[in-house]
Structure formats: C-alpha cells, structure tokens
C-alpha cells in the first residue's frame, strides 16, 4: 500500500471496456511528510476522493479487486482505496 496526493483527474472517452464508468484520478505518491516521491500516475478511484486529498493506493491484483468483480478482464493496475485523515508520526 502507498500514500499519494490527488492532483487532478483524467477524462478519456476511448478506453478499455473494464475502465468504463470509473473515475480516473492523477495521483502523486508522497512520503509520510507529504513530500512528493517518484512520478505521477493514474489511479481508479473507488472511494470518491477529491483533488487535494491524501489517499491510500494499492497496485496490481489488489487494485483490480478493489474496483472489479471479474479481475481476469480488468486492466486496472492502481486504485485509490482510502482517504487519509492525517499523518501521525
């Protein structure tokens, strides 16, 4: 599981059938200080996150399970599965 900040959204009219109806968000992975690490990526949102919110991400099979009943036909590789309320250190 990873942490990220939602920095934007993606509109795609032509996409794989398994992505139809999903909200796609641009996320910037962050560390526990909220500082950017790595590069931005696109994640399917399963919790209704908004721009500016810190979120929890899963990748791979976990991402597919978070957004689909039939993971064998799902192309998703990154999903938002939680909204972070705060960072406690």
């Amino acid at each position: 599981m990873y942490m990220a900040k939602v920095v934007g959204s993606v509109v795609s009219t032509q996409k794989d059938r398994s992505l139809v109806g999903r909200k796609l968000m641009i996320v910037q992975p962050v560390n526990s200080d909220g500082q950017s690490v790595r590069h931005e990526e696109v994640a399917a949102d399963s919790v209704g996150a908004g721009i500016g919110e810190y979120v929890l991400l899963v990748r791979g099979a976990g991402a597919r399970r978070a957004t689909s009943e039939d993971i064998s036909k799902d192309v998703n590789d990154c999903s938002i599965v939680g909204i972070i309320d705060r960072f406690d250190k």
Side-chain angles (χ1 to χ4, degrees), residues 22 42-46 56-60 62-67 76-82:
R22 295 195 189 163
V42 176
D45 182 11
S46 66
L56 297 173
L57 299 177
V58 291
R59 292 193 176 96
R64 289 183 284 281
R65 284 188 187 98
T67 58
N76 181 32
D77 194 47
C78 186
S79 290
I80 298 170
V81 296

Side-chain angles (χ1 to χ4, degrees), residues 37-81:
V37 296
R38 296 187 302 280
H39 57 278
E40 294 177 348
E41 56 191 293
V42 176
D45 182 11
S46 66
V47 296
I51 294 173
E53 291 189 290
Y54 288 94
V55 296
L56 297 173
L57 299 177
V58 291
R59 292 193 176 96
R64 289 183 284 281
R65 284 188 187 98
T67 58
S68 179
E69 301 270 328
D70 182 5
I71 66 170
S72 67
K73 297 178 183 176
D74 195 339
V75 300
N76 181 32
D77 194 47
C78 186
S79 290
I80 298 170
V81 296

Side-chain angles (χ1 to χ4, degrees), residues 16-37:
D16 186 85
R17 185 177 320 147
S18 68
L19 297 174
V20 172
R22 295 195 189 163
K23 184 173 147 188
L24 302 176
M25 304 302 281
I26 303 168
V27 294
Q28 172 64 61
V30 297
N31 62 22
S32 61
D33 293 320
Q35 304 217 339
S36 297
V37 296

